[in-house]
Amino acid sequence: MIVQLKKNASEEQVTAIADQMSALGYKTTRVATGNGSYLVGIGSKEFDIRKLGHMEGVADIHRVSDAYKLVSRKWKVERTAIDLGDGVVIGNGDLSLMAGPCSIESEEQVAATLAHLRENNVRIMRGGVFKPRSSPYAFRGLGIEGLKMWHEQAKKAGVKIISEVMQVSQIDEMVDYVDIFQVGARNTQNFNLLDALGKAGKPVMIKRGISGTIEELLYSAEYVFSAGNEQLILCERGIRTYERASRNTLDINAIPILREKSHLPVVADPSHGIGIREHVEPVALAAIVAGADGIIYETHQSPEEAASDGQQTLNFGESARLIEKARKVAALRQTF
Ligand code: PEP
Ligand code: MN
């Protein structure tokens, strides 16, 4: 059960409502985000809803049968949109594109990527400065100095930044220089990180775990929401299956299922999803047909020389073609 509280509800009123929920057999958690205040009740006892409905401070009561609550669509049918400012919104019905290298490498690379994005009217750039790498000997990113350099250029270009945060201590370092925190597939169940991102005050995109279920991804989002941040985006980035012909298996099924189960925007990452440059485009287009609110993919001026993930990274020509086709498919989708 979710009890939405009135904006002006007093402390005494909230305490009285929480006490009543406990008396009705519900374990209660209080949640306050930038958008609203809620009491989340965990329990299953039947009760007369009027026992809460008449109380001062209650704005609305929703019975939510899902195990995750705040991210469920059962209480919020209208879709959540994430407003990054300057007219950049994710989840408002338009297709969002986020593109950039796997890793931020140099000033020149950032400048070239920003110019490519500007030319194609892409408003969000991706890139890692803290890189989770399978091998400790692989390039692990430029770190916070790289992010500052990138931010300076991106700000001038009017382009927003999404970048991966790997640990709690990086949140404060990064917060002034990112528009969206990315939680990577290896950190989807880093519950300390998710809790801390609840207090970050910036949008968070959570990738599905490498072997994570759809429900586990929703629980991870619930962590961030219940810790105080409802500016959330879900990302299907492929899961590990028995198939070895591709790096991962992008689970197209997850896109309509996540959109049915949650009000949060759903983005697909075809680059990590298939891991093969030649096939990124068709997988991206399929994800759009399946209903994705956005696509995040890797592009680099010279993928062969990329410091990481070159094998799945589009060059700028391929990227421009994908952007054009993606927009065509998104326009076609509007007519369905
Ligand atoms: C990335 O976006 O470059 C990345 C490391 O992604 P994932 O966490 O999905 O592997
Ligand atoms: Mn990558």
Side-chain angles (χ1 to χ4, degrees), residues 102 126 131-132 164 182-186 207-208 210 237 247 269 272 298 309:
C102 180
R126 63 143 287 144
K131 295 302 302 176
E164 176 164 355
Q182 172 174 319
V183 176
R186 291 156 193 79
K207 288 192 164 194
R208 182 172 177 187
I210 292 170
R237 53 77 75 196
R247 182 180 181 187
D269 175 347
H272 295 86
E298 292 178 336
D309 283 353

Side-chain angles (χ1 to χ4, degrees), residues 67-193:
Y68 44 84
K69 305 288 177 194
L70 293 159
V71 303
S72 169
R73 200 154 179 232
K74 295 228 166 85
W75 75 277
K76 186 170 181 284
V77 178
E78 75 276 15
R79 307 213 65 88
T80 291
I82 309 298
D83 191 345
L84 302 179
D86 303 318
V88 185
V89 183
I90 300 172
N92 63 352
D94 295 338
L95 179 73
S96 296
L97 294 173
M98 311 184 216
C102 180
S103 303
I104 297 299
E105 297 164 11
S106 66
E107 280 185 39
E108 298 69 41
Q109 176 220 32
V110 168
T113 309
L114 283 167
H116 166 64
L117 299 185
R118 292 294 315 173
E119 263 167 43
N120 290 280
N121 195 25
V122 172
R123 305 288 307 279
I124 308 171
M125 179 166 160
R126 63 143 287 144
V129 295
F130 298 111
K131 295 302 302 176
R133 302 305 302 276
S134 301
S135 163
Y137 308 115
F139 178 64
R140 290 159 79 173
L142 292 184
I144 193 69
E145 292 312 316
L147 180 61
K148 288 181 184 169
M149 173 274 289
W150 173 19
H151 175 258
E152 206 177 303
Q153 291 197 45
K155 203 172 160 64
K156 283 190 199 130
V159 169
K160 305 292 177 187
I161 286 181
I162 176 168
S163 195
E164 176 164 355
V165 58
M166 283 177 57
Q167 59 186 41
V168 174
S169 63
Q170 289 163 353
I171 297 175
D172 282 348
E173 275 188 289
M174 293 175 72
V175 70
D176 292 335
Y177 307 103
V178 296
D179 298 284
I180 306 172
F181 282 106
Q182 172 174 319
V183 176
R186 291 156 193 79
N187 263 317
T188 310
Q189 291 192 306
N190 179 342
F191 301 119
N192 291 331
L193 181 62

